[in-house]
Structure formats: C-alpha cells, structure tokens
C-alpha cells in the first residue's frame, strides 16, 4: 500500500468511493491514473439537438417539480397511499390508480433498509445459506481448505477467489441439480496470506493467485424442503479454469502477428484468462466471460496502444512479471494483446478448451449478453468498463442451430466468430444548454435521444474487413478502443453490465459512475451522461429500431439516475421518489422471470453497504425500486441470478477495507470471529417455500 497512501484522502477511500484496497487489487488503481481515453471525440448532441421534436414545456415543468419535491427514502413494506404524493405526475410516471396498490409481481417483499451490518441482510420471511466459499474443494483429490497451508495445486482443485458473474444452467437427468458457473475475477493477496509482503511475494503465493483466478464450474443441489442450495463436490462436470489453463484464440485476430509470442508462434494458443468480471449465458448452452482490468497484470509497457488500455510503465502490484516473463511487456510485447476478450466456455464438456472470441473486440469487457435476431443470429452487447469508454455490440452472421446433436453444438460454437462489431454513438434530443451537469431534467422532461451503431469491422469465413479509416481489420480487433476513438463513439460513464429484457427486447446498460465527468479537461456532461462528477451512476434503456436486435439505430432514455431519492438529481423512471429505495453505483443487472430488472451495486456512496435491488420496467409500477439485500463490510454484490424460488448473489471481496490483513480483518464473514474472511456465493429463498416476491 505504501506508494498509494499519499494519493488518498483521510478516509482511505478513492475518488469513486471504493476502499483504496479495492482500487489496488481489483482495478489496478484505474481511477488514480489519468483517463486513458484522451481522444477528442466531440459530443454529437450539441450539433444535432434542436433539429428534433420537443415535448410540451408543461410536462417538463411538472417533472422538475416532482424531482424537487421528493420525500424520504422508503424502507417500509409495500407502497404508501397515493394521497401521500405531493407533486404533479412526471412524464412516464405510474398512474395514480396503481401507486397505492401492490408492487409488481416478483417485487412484493419488505425492502431491506440501508445498513452496515457485517452480514447478508435479507427481507423478512426470507432465509439464506452459503452455497460455496473460496477454497472449498470441488475437484476429485482436492484437499480441504487450509488457509495456513494453501498451495497452488490445492487451489487449482478448489473454488477460486472473488466470485463475480454467476450462471445457473439446467442439468437434465439430475433431479434437483443445476450447474453453477462462476467468474473468479481477481485475488486479494493481503486477505489470503498471513504476513503477505506486497513488495516481495513468493513464488508459491503467486502461483496460488494464478490458480485462484479464472472460472469455476460446480454442480449444485437444492433441498426442496428448506430451499438451501449446496455444492456437489467431485461431480464429473466440476471444473476449474485458471490463469494457466490453455485457451484457443478464434475469430479474425487468431494467428495475427499481433498475437504471436515466443511461447506461441501461432498466435492461437493462450494460457489463462484474467479479471473475469461479468458474463452471460448463450441460448446454445455455453457461458461468456469478460476479461476486464487485464491491464494491471502487465508491467513495463511503453507503447501508445498500451497507454490507451491503461497498461502501466512500471512494475505491477502483484509482481507476476518476476515469475513469468510473459507479464513483462518489455520482454514479451504481444502477450498483453492476448487478453481483453470475451471468452466462451462449454460447461457441459469439462474436457473442452475454452475460447477467446476476437470478433467481439479487445477492451475491458465487463461481460457480454446475447439476444437473438428474428432469424436466429446472435447479437452480443458488451460494455467497456472505464471512465469515458464505450458501449459495443456484435451482430453475428450465422444462425443458431437448435437441438443437442453434436453437429448443432459444433456449429453453435462458431457463431461468435463471424459478424460485424459496432460501437455506440448517442445523441440527446434536448439543447445542450439544458444539460447543465447537475442532473436537472431538460425541458422535455427526459434524458433521451437517439443513437447509431457505427460499424468497426466485419469478420467472415474468408477474412475480415475494417470499416475504420487508417486501421486494418486486425488492428480494429486488437486495438478496439482506438477504433472507437476514430469513429467518434460516445464517451460513457463506465459502461458495465448490459442486459436485454427477454420480455420487451429493450436493452439496459448499467453506467456505474464517473467522478471525472466534467472535471478538468475531461468531457463534460451530455444528455446520456448528464451529471458532472457523477458519483452514483445511472441506467440507460435502449430500444433498437423496430425492436430488431440487428438494427443499426436506436432510441434511448435514462431509466434511472441513481442516488438518494431526496436528491433532486435522481430519477426513477418517473415513479414517485418517496416510495423507492436509495441506490448508488449500479453494476451488474439481471432479469427475473416476471420481467423485473435486478441491479447489484459496486461502491455504494450513501452510507450503506452495497446491495441488490429489484425494479419494475413495465406497467404501472415501472421505476419502483426496492432493495432486496445488502452484503457484508467491504463487499460488492455481484452475479445476481433471480429464479422463481431463489436469488443467488456472489459476495465479492468482503473485508476489502484499506489496512485490513488476514491478522487484522475488517470482516469475518461468513464464518465469524477467528475464521478467515472468504468470498462466497449465497442463496436466498422464502422460508415458506413460496416464489420470490409474489
Ligand atoms: Fe469488475 Fe466493471 O466491474
Ligand atoms: Ca431530452
Ligand atoms: Ca462488475
């Protein structure tokens, strides 16, 4: 921590609100470094606004009144009577007749109040259990967890560290069982090893960390009476993928000279995946995993292209470059070009080689989620989680085949290799002067507008074509951020998880925060990112033209502008703000079986621990946001899954508070005092066995 401390304030928190320790181990101190996007993309809204239609000033005035008149944050069950409202109805708000009734189906629970308990706090009437913790053996032969005697070999057969994205897949033929797939984004060495010296990590510690990164596959079994979900160790499908597992590179950049290294002259064989943050499931039964802050593992970079990815010029925090020269850019310049992709795993085939899909571009992929076109081709949405970076989509050119035949499966495993990669440009429909950076709604009553998907490159079986002047196709695929700069993509406030609604097709994009917006020479607020020094983040709702997933234009509006509902700069799709929970820093998003959006947070800034929230996206209760749970001290809520009878969350980096160590922990979750703090997956269920929120 030594070299970081002078940079942080007296509270030890970082500019975006997280503990400095989180910044260090998770993002490689991204927020302390200069914004990597120094391109001069102009916001197109200033030019185009004014040419588009206006809504009535009357509605706008009403909306501003509602924003200013917001009452206290809700913590009680159900909704208050409609008569409690004090302001005129905002555009898009719930009609009076609905607001006094019951919450949307799936969201009928007593909201959890903001709190700082070192526990997972769930609504009244709900129970919970830890499904699996860091270090629990999942493979045959793996030993029981012993933090004092951890080895790389043991860790490679155990559940990894810092679980993030989760998927639960069906397991036909095995009653009451499902297949859990998890990302293990990164390691907190100082919370893993007693007496850890950041200046001199040992080889064994480094190799444990390699084995604690990556992906985990483990069969889980439900107890139908109690609702508990538990891991099934040694199942034949259980698997660990780590920082040293062999991957195949596929798609247009496979074999490129930019990907060849001394260990792999083919440019097609990579060891490991790193910093897997969010992900997605495909309709053909595989999982996708983003390689996010991969930059932090590579030392001694000097090229402009590396700088655009935030790859540092000196040593790394974890010092892996001392133990494997591939992490030293000065010695192995192309290894870093082999990270930053979406990886695809076939969790039903434990012997299969995972793939890195270069057709989806290289950036700090938060994750990728799939929607099919009307004719069955995959469209993958993906955010680049960096301040002022971009939102992307890939439109495949091959149709998915149905059925479980070998031929169908093999075909579907090629779907993400051919198609066109696009980046988003968003334009507001209000005059720039009305976007004053405070979050005040413009005169038309909404932050909204239109946008285009700008093509970057197209990959076919015969080769790839660049659509970006001055860049070859392989450059577009390997230096995708630079391609986005060249075509004038819109600089966003950290695009994280993206989720298309399976019911409406609308696409939701979590924009976590950006405290640098409007600060210094950085881009100022625009209609799609309307607050300067944006601490709390927002959620964008995107409607593809004619609701076609492969459209090249779209409409958008801000569905939610996060924060304390009493803050006039917040917005909850027009729902009365005295009936919603506070929320800060939306990160991962998921849909429940009823069509409600669930949002987990990372770095909540309102005096409460992070949490999980549900919000209705349609109907009279649209915008009614309710907190379902909170996580322990220092933790982030990740990987939400909401099924009919169960909610799953990954509790990531509990106890990750600056100054904490194994000997001096900030949290003792989940096993209590005297036991090491452990990231873990938690299942939440209704004690009476009923469905969630009905
Ligand atoms: Fe790993 Fe973008 O959060
Ligand atoms: Ca507008
Ligand atoms: Ca995330």
């Amino acid at each position: 921590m030594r070299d970081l401390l002078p940079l942080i304030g007296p509270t030890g928190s970082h500019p975006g609100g997280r503990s400095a320790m989180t910044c260090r181990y998770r993002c490689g101190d991204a927020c302390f470094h200069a914004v990597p996007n120094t391109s001069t993309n102009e916001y197109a809204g200033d030019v185009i606004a004014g040419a588009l239609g206006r809504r009535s000033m009357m509605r706008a005035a009403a909306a501003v009144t509602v924003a200013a008149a917001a009452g206290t944050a809700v913590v009680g069950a159900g909704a208050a009577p409609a008569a409690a409202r004090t302001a005129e109805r905002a555009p898009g708000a719930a009609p009076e007749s609905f607001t006094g009734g019951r919450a949307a189906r799936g969201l009928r629970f007593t909201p959890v109040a903001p709190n700082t308990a070192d526990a997972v706090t769930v609504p009244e009437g709900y129970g919970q259990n830890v499904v699996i913790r860091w270090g629990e053996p999942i493979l045959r032969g793996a030993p029981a967890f012993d933090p004092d005697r951890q080895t790389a070999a043991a860790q490679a057969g155990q559940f990894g560290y810092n679980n993030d994205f989760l998927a639960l897949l069906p397991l036909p033929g095995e009653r009451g069982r499902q297949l859990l797939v998890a990302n293990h984004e990164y390691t907190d060495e100082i919370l893993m090893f007693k007496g850890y010296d950041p200046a001199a990590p040992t080889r064994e510690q480094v190799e444990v960390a390699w084995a604690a990164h990556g992906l985990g596959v483990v069969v889980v079994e439900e107890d139908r009476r109690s609702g508990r979900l538990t891991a099934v160790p040694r199942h034949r499908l259980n698997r660990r993928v780590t920082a040293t597992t062999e991957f195949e590179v596929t798609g247009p950049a496979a074999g490129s000279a930019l990907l060849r290294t001394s260990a792999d002259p083919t440019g097609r064989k990579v060891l490991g995946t790193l910093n897997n943050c969010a992900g997605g499931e495909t309709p053909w039964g595989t999982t996708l995993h983003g390689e996010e802050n991969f930059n932090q593992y590579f030392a001694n970079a000097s090229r402009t292209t590396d700088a655009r990815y935030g790859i540092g010029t000196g040593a790394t925090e974890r010092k892996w470059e001392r133990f494997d020269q591939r992490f030293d850019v000065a010695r192995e310049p192309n290894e870093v070009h082999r990270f930053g992709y979406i990886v695809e795993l076939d969790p039903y085939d434990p012997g299969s080689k995972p793939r890195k899909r270069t057709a989806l571009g290289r950036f700090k992929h938060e994750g990728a989620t799939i929607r099919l076109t009307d004719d069955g081709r995959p469209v993958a949405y993906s955010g680049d989680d960096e301040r002022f970076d971009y939102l992307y989509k890939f439109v495949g050119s091959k149709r998915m085949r149905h059925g479980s035949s070998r031929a169908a499966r093999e075909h579907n495993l090629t779907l993400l290799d051919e198609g066109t990669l696009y980046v988003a440009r968003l334009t507001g429909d209000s005059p720039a002067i009305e976007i004053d950076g405070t979050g005040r709604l413009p005169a038309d009553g909404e932050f909204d507008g239109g946008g285009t998907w700008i093509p970057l490159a197209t990959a076919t079986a015969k080769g790839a074509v660049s659509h970006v002047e001055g860049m070859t196709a392989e450059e577009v695929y390997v230096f995708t951020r630079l391609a986005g700069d060249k075509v004038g993509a819109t600089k966003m406030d950290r695009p994280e998880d993206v989720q298309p609604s399976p019911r409406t097709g609308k696409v939701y994009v979590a924009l976590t925060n950006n405290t640098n917006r409007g600060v210094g020479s950085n881009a100022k607020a625009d209609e799609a990112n309307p607050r300067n020094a944006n601490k709390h983040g927002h959620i964008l709702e995107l409607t593809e033209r004619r609701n076609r997933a492969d459209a090249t234009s779209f409409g958008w509006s801000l569905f939610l502008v996060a924060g304390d509902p009493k803050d006039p700069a917040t917005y909850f799709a027009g729902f009365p703000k005295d009936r919603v929970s506070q929320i800060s820093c939306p990160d991962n998003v998921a849909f429940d079986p009823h069509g409600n959006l669930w949002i987990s947070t990372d770095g909540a800034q309102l005096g409460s621990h992070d949490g999980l929230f549900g919000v209705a996206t349609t109907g009279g209760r649209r915008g009614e946001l309710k907190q379902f749970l909170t996580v322990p001290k220092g933790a982030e809520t990740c990987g939400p899954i909401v099924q009919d009878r169960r909610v799953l969350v990954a509790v990531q980096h509990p106890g990750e508070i600056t100054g904490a160590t194994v000997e001096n922990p900030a949290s003792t979750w989940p096993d209590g005092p005297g036991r090491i703090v452990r990231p873990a997956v938690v299942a939440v269920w209704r004690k009476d066995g009923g469905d969630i929120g009905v």
Side-chain angles (χ1 to χ4, degrees):
M1 318 247 121
R2 281 175 292 276
D3 53 3
L4 177 65
L5 288 173
L7 292 170
I8 61 178
T11 59
S13 68
H14 109 330
R18 285 245 67 117
S19 160
M21 186 170 163
T22 302
C23 304
R24 164 153 296 195
Y25 286 103
R26 201 265 302 283
C27 310
D29 288 331
C31 293
F32 288 106
H33 299 136
V35 169
N37 189 354
T38 55
S39 65
T40 53
N41 280 338
E42 298 266 326
Y43 172 58
D46 298 6
V47 183
I48 299 170
L52 301 168
R54 293 274 168 273
R55 291 174 204 166
S56 91
M57 295 298 285
M58 295 280 286
R59 288 175 68 200
V64 173
T65 310
V66 169
T72 53
V74 75
V75 286
R85 297 185 59 205
T86 54
E88 286 181 74
R89 191 163 70 85
E96 292 288 341
S97 56
F98 289 99
T99 52
R102 304 176 78 194
R105 191 171 168 80
L107 298 176
R108 294 172 189 159
F109 54 81
T110 307
V112 165
N115 69 81
T116 55
D118 191 26
V120 173
T121 305
V122 299
E124 211 180 298
Y126 284 76
Q128 60 174 295
N129 75 281
V130 172
V131 180
I132 189 165
R133 297 159 175 79
W134 161 52
E136 286 186 25
I138 60 172
L139 302 190
R140 241 172 251 287
F145 180 61
D146 181 348
D148 294 330
R149 273 169 284 278
Q150 183 63 313
T151 66
Q155 178 64 77
Q158 299 168 336
F159 199 60
Y161 203 80
N162 269 346
N163 31 219
D164 196 316
F165 167 75
L166 302 175
L168 267 179
L169 307 177
L171 200 50
E174 299 204 31
R175 202 175 145 79
R177 289 181 168 182
Q178 298 177 82
L179 197 53
L180 175 70
V181 184
N183 282 358
H184 300 296
E185 187 180 16
Y186 69 102
T187 45
D188 279 296
E189 282 76 358
I190 205 146
L191 300 182
M192 296 168 68
F193 307 112
K194 273 185 184 160
Y196 181 72
D197 178 359
T202 66
R203 172 167 284 279
E204 185 69 43
Q205 288 168 337
V206 166
E207 290 186 354
V208 169
W210 291 345
H213 274 73
L215 317 175
V217 181
V218 58
V219 172
V220 291
E221 187 166 53
E222 68 176 358
D223 176 341
R224 284 198 74 79
R225 272 178 309 176
S226 71
R228 294 172 64 87
L229 195 68
T230 49
V232 180
R234 299 183 296 280
H235 192 282
R236 67 176 180 85
L237 292 180
N238 289 2
R239 181 175 189 187
R240 278 302 319 286
V241 169
T242 74
T244 56
T245 302
E246 189 173 317
F247 278 69
E248 181 188 351
V249 184
T250 72
S256 156
L258 292 167
L259 266 62
R260 294 180 201 149
T261 65
S262 52
D264 171 33
T266 70
R268 295 174 182 274
K269 193 173 80 177
V270 179
L271 297 185
T273 185
L274 292 171
N275 215 261
N276 301 96
C277 191
E281 293 171 28
T282 68
W284 54 93
T286 64
T287 49
L288 305 177
H289 311 265
E291 294 185 322
E292 197 196 23
N293 293 297
F294 65 93
N295 57 305
Q296 66 182 300
Y297 303 92
F298 292 89
N300 305 323
S302 57
R303 298 165 295 192
T304 316
T305 49
D306 294 330
R308 182 65 182 84
Y309 283 85
I311 299 153
T313 53
T316 65
E317 172 61 29
R318 293 183 182 81
K319 315 283 189 292
W320 289 2
E321 65 275 15
R322 293 183 189 170
F323 302 93
D324 187 338
Q325 72 164 34
R326 69 185 174 120
F327 296 111
D328 185 336
V329 179
R331 296 169 76 186
E332 195 61 78
N334 287 349
E335 184 69 10
V336 72
H337 296 159
R338 294 141 62 90
F339 292 82
Y341 296 101
I342 289 294
V343 306
E344 183 172 11
L345 178 76
D346 180 356
Y348 293 101
D349 180 359
S352 62
K353 204 179 281 187
R355 278 97 160 179
K356 299 207 179 194
R357 301 297 191 193
T358 61
L360 277 65
R362 173 173 169 265
F363 47 91
K364 291 188 183 179
H365 279 281
E366 172 76 10
T369 43
I370 300 281
R371 185 181 171 210
L372 290 178
T373 62
D374 295 346
D375 62 353
R377 290 171 293 125
V379 172
Y381 296 91
S382 191
D384 183 347
D385 180 10
E386 183 101 54
R387 297 162 296 165
F388 304 106
D389 258 292
Y390 309 136
L391 173 67
Y392 297 83
K393 88 169 176 182
F394 164 85
V395 179
S397 54
K398 293 161 81 170
R399 293 182 193 179
M400 179 183 132
R401 276 192 208 154
H402 291 277
S404 56
S405 70
R406 191 185 173 89
R409 288 186 72 76
E410 281 179 5
H411 169 82
N412 291 340
L413 284 167
T414 68
L415 293 177
L416 298 181
D417 290 335
E418 293 175 30
T420 298
L421 180 64
Y422 298 86
V423 69
R425 183 192 290 153
L426 286 78
T427 306
D429 70 359
S430 292
I433 196 159
E434 293 181 9
I435 310 299
D436 64 5
T438 66
R440 195 158 63 98
L441 288 169
D444 70 353
E446 272 189 290
F447 297 116
D448 62 346
T452 48
W453 291 109
I454 308 168
L456 297 177
T458 299
T460 69
K462 291 184 183 145
V465 181
S466 168
H467 306 302
V468 181
E469 213 179 311
M471 289 181 84
T472 64
E474 65 185 324
E475 286 168 343
V476 170
Y477 288 113
V478 179
F479 307 122
T480 310
R481 281 186 167 182
L482 285 88
D485 297 344
K486 278 183 177 280
V487 301
T490 299
K491 295 177 175 178
M492 305 297 288
D493 286 351
R494 293 187 54 194
E496 296 243 23
D497 212 353
V498 184
Q499 201 69 239
S501 164
R503 294 218 166 178
T504 66
K506 288 179 189 288
V507 178
Y508 294 80
V509 184
L511 297 146
T512 289
N513 57 40
N514 183 352
T515 50
N516 279 46
R517 173 73 61 181
V519 174
S521 59
N522 291 309
K524 64 182 192 325
D526 58 40
E527 195 160 349
N529 302 276
R531 287 184 297 190
N532 287 329
N534 178 10
K535 267 169 73 170
H536 299 300
H538 51 283
I539 293 184
L540 179 80
E541 181 181 67
L542 189 152
T543 309
E544 300 277 21
R545 185 170 155 79
R546 298 205 187 102
N547 202 13
R548 291 178 57 133
D550 57 349
T552 53
S553 62
F554 56 86
W556 62 268
S557 66
L558 295 196
F559 173 66
L560 194 143
V561 180
D564 182 338
K566 283 182 275 190
D567 175 353
T570 58
Y571 179 75
F572 294 79
F575 195 81
K577 296 204 290 180
D578 55 352
R579 324 266 174 77
V580 299
S581 296
Q582 66 174 43
I583 184 171
S584 178
C585 304
D587 185 334
N588 298 134
V589 282
F591 278 92
D592 70 16
H594 311 282
N596 301 306
L597 182 69
W598 290 64
I599 306 159
S600 63
T601 67
D602 171 18
Q605 285 294 288
L606 295 166
S608 172
H609 286 176
D610 277 313
L612 177 66
F613 303 76
V615 61
T617 58
T618 57
R621 313 300 293 219
R622 174 177 155 90
E624 184 178 24
L625 178 96
K626 299 175 74 175
Q627 177 150 284
F628 183 78
L629 61 73
T630 51
V631 293
K633 192 169 182 185
E636 167 182 348
T637 321
C638 294
I641 295 174
V642 185
Q643 298 183 321
D644 282 319
R645 296 183 64 239
R646 186 175 293 105
V647 172
L648 238 71
V649 287
V651 176
Q652 198 194 41
H653 59 74
E656 191 185 67
I657 301 283
T658 304
T661 60
V662 172
E663 296 84 350
N664 180 29
S667 165
T668 57
W669 189 86
D671 298 316
R675 309 284 294 279
I676 192 166
V677 62
R678 293 164 81 176
V681 176
V682 171
V684 183
W685 22 266
R686 244 171 76 169
K687 286 178 181 167
D688 65 4
D691 282 1
I692 301 293
V694 301

